[in-house]
Amino acid sequence: MKSRGWEVVERVKAGDTLVFDGGYGTMLFAAGLLNGACPELWNDTHADVVAGIHKGYFDAGSDIVETNTFGGARLKLNEYALGDRTRELNVEGARLARKVAPARGFVAGSIGPTSRLPQDYALDAGVTDEEYEETFREQAAALAEGGVDLFAVETMMFPQEATAAIRACKAVTDLPVMATMFFQFEDLHDRDRTMWGESPAEVAKNLLAAGADVVGMNCGRGPDRAIVIIREMRQVTDAPLVAYPNAGLPITTGDTVTYELGPEAMAREYPALLDAGCNIVGACCGSNAEHIRLIAEVVRRRSAPGARG
Ligand SMILES: [Zn+2]
């Protein structure tokens, strides 16, 4: 029997639009996470805070929330000398989201970059494709053990790392994989490219070829660029597409970082994002439950019987 996470893929293929969640960093910092501390450790030490953020997103209208395991690969946890707790912190991260998920809700296991450069780019030995795959297999297996429905391979910068993560998820489970990359807007050329120089169309094709079931963009800039990126991806594939951009650009004043788009300003862009062909929408850095509540309203309004378009 297919695992329940496949409903996500089946529903968007049938024409549903689903709502993903918003940012975690801002809320963890607001709750006292210190700069330079390991956010995944909070799955153990501050479980109620993490579970509360998940619940806030489900209550705001998220169909899918992601686990607090973005930096949960052993290669990344090693930075905090926490590599030995890889399995525990990922299992616990999955259980926290699962515990507060309503019956209709889905939990996506977040898998972010290791912050270690691929072999071809690193000044040191770098990380081989096999080493990437090994670290992500360990993380994906722990997330599955904790009960995730699908995976969110996200904020990826390098194609080697992104495709290794997708292959790793597929090697250890039969769960669907969403995979998204980080794009930079190149003002000078009026185009969006990954750090590696890939176009949105190339990214969509590469991630699908590696086995991803849903592809798209996250983080980067605001919804204005997400609309363009999704439109370009839609031109080359009929596969489900996902976008969860930042709440615009960060604004740094002294020690504090805020983002340019409040909930209303952000949600205003989402009808165009849906028109571009996006099937799953959420938000990334700088967003909170109020952003998601208004984005969910846009989605429900469009899905209502008799609604146009
Ligand atoms: Zn982000």
Side-chain angles (χ1 to χ4, degrees):
M1 205 184 87
K2 268 188 169 179
S3 52
R4 180 168 170 271
W6 286 98
E7 270 181 40
V8 168
V9 177
E10 281 153 19
R11 281 176 59 184
V12 300
K13 281 187 174 167
D16 274 8
T17 303
L18 297 180
V19 179
F20 200 32
D21 63 2
Y24 282 79
T26 317
M27 274 170 273
L28 291 175
F29 287 122
L33 177 70
L34 297 174
N35 249 326
C38 174
E40 290 72 28
L41 188 57
W42 276 38
N43 294 341
D44 176 35
T45 58
H46 297 70
D48 289 349
V49 172
V50 176
I53 299 173
H54 293 316
K55 183 171 187 309
Y57 281 129
F58 277 128
D59 289 348
S62 292
D63 299 298
I64 310 166
V65 306
E66 65 171 25
T67 56
N68 179 41
T69 56
F70 179 76
R74 180 180 292 259
L75 278 182
K76 177 74 180 173
L77 290 175
N78 279 343
E79 275 180 29
Y80 306 96
L82 290 170
D84 289 347
R85 298 184 66 182
T86 300
R87 176 174 162 267
E88 172 207 343
L89 293 176
N90 282 283
V91 169
E92 199 46 46
R95 286 188 182 143
L96 287 178
R98 185 87 272 162
K99 194 176 70 179
V100 297
R104 62 167 179 84
F106 297 95
V107 174
S110 167
I111 297 181
T114 60
S115 306
R116 297 277 311 278
L117 295 177
Q119 225 175 7
D120 330 358
Y121 277 70
L123 295 173
D124 58 12
V127 181
T128 64
D129 288 2
E130 292 70 32
E131 286 165 336
Y132 277 137
E133 212 177 308
E134 186 187 354
T135 201
F136 291 130
R137 268 202 307 264
E138 180 186 30
Q139 183 180 13
L143 288 167
E145 183 186 343
V148 301
D149 299 303
L150 68 161
F151 295 104
V153 170
E154 56 185 2
T155 328
M156 287 289 172
M157 315 267 178
F158 299 104
Q160 297 94 319
E161 190 171 14
T163 52
I166 294 165
R167 286 195 307 271
C169 293
K170 292 294 181 180
V172 297
T173 72
D174 69 341
L175 303 179
V177 177
M178 294 201 298
T180 52
M181 292 194 73
F182 179 103
F183 289 86
Q184 301 183 104
F185 177 57
E186 300 177 355
D187 267 299
L188 194 62
H189 303 290
D190 188 28
R191 65 185 191 188
D192 302 273
R193 291 292 182 269
T194 62
M195 311 262 281
W196 187 269
E198 287 180 304
S199 70
E202 286 165 338
V203 164
K205 287 189 267 188
N206 287 349
L207 300 182
L208 289 166
D213 303 284
V214 182
V215 297
M217 65 77 69
N218 79 296
C219 211
R221 270 177 57 140
D224 55 339
R225 299 316 307 172
I227 292 163
V228 177
I229 293 166
I230 290 296
R231 200 180 288 142
E232 290 181 22
M233 289 185 169
R234 186 46 85 211
Q235 281 170 1
V236 297
T237 182
D238 293 328
L241 297 180
V242 57
Y244 44 117
N246 288 351
L249 289 170
I251 304 159
T252 309
T253 29
D255 273 355
T256 53
V257 179
T258 54
Y259 284 77
E260 57 180 352
L261 298 181
E264 286 88 7
M266 188 151 186
R268 216 174 289 139
E269 309 252 19
Y270 278 62
L273 183 54
L274 299 179
D275 286 341
C278 202
N279 310 106
I280 303 176
V281 292
C284 196
C285 305
S287 66
N288 57 42
E290 184 60 12
H291 289 80
I292 293 303
R293 195 179 66 76
L294 296 187
I295 289 168
E297 260 179 29
V298 170
V299 170
R300 310 275 181 253
R301 216 179 298 136
R302 294 257 301 209
S303 317
R308 283 180 55 225

